[in-house]
Amino acid sequence: MSDCIFCKIAKHEIPCDAVYEDDDFLAFRDINPVAPTHVLLIPKQHVSSLLDEGAKAEMLGRMTALVPKLAEQLGIAADGFRLVVNTGKEGGQTVHHLHFHILGGRSLQWPPG
Ligand code: AMP
């Protein structure tokens, strides 16, 4: 997708603060963090969301398996972290390229109580 910002980041056409990269995935710090550690994990291939038929189980499995490794690397595994996948309009998705938010470093105000 030529106008997709995360595709441009994946192709190194736009800079990012990368924390992990392999042939298929890239993880980088969110430009507007909502927690002390806020990293986005994306597939390099354009997949618009979890609802995209390109969001195959095999790819999602490999992507999810990276999360605990990244959490260890980022130093947030011991105390725990939150994994968020905003999906679609009501889900609050603003960038239409599948991404996992990995959030750690403080207790967020959700869920309440
Ligand atoms: P969402 O609202 O779930 O679609 O999340 C999109 C996220 O992408 C937001 O948290 C933004 O702060 C983040 N974001 C947008 N542009 C960039 C960028 N160029 N570099 C890093 N993070 C970005």
Side-chain angles (χ1 to χ4, degrees):
M1 285 271 289
S2 57
D3 60 344
C4 170
I5 188 166
F6 285 1
C7 283
K8 289 180 179 169
I9 288 174
K11 287 188 244 167
H12 301 282
E13 294 171 4
I14 291 178
C16 71
D17 186 356
V19 298
Y20 175 83
E21 179 168 15
D22 64 24
D23 287 347
D24 298 321
F25 301 102
L26 176 67
F28 53 97
R29 294 190 189 276
D30 196 292
I31 205 165
N32 185 25
V34 299
T37 299
H38 186 172
V39 162
L40 303 174
L41 173 61
I42 66 167
K44 289 184 172 178
Q45 172 196 353
H46 184 82
V47 173
S48 60
S49 81
L50 279 180
L51 292 168
D52 189 323
E53 62 182 21
K56 305 284 189 207
E58 189 270 341
M59 184 269 281
L60 292 171
R62 288 190 292 123
M63 191 169 165
T64 304
L66 282 174
V67 173
K69 296 184 175 120
L70 282 169
E72 288 285 356
Q73 176 190 324
L74 295 164
I76 57 173
D79 288 339
F81 58 89
R82 190 181 304 271
L83 184 64
V84 173
V85 191
N86 294 331
T87 305
K89 185 161 58 89
E90 294 291 329
Q93 184 178 6
T94 60
V95 176
H96 297 282
H97 181 128
L98 177 66
H99 50 283
F100 288 0
H101 294 259
I102 303 169
L103 301 155
R106 77 174 160 85
S107 179
L108 305 176
Q109 296 306 303
W110 185 89

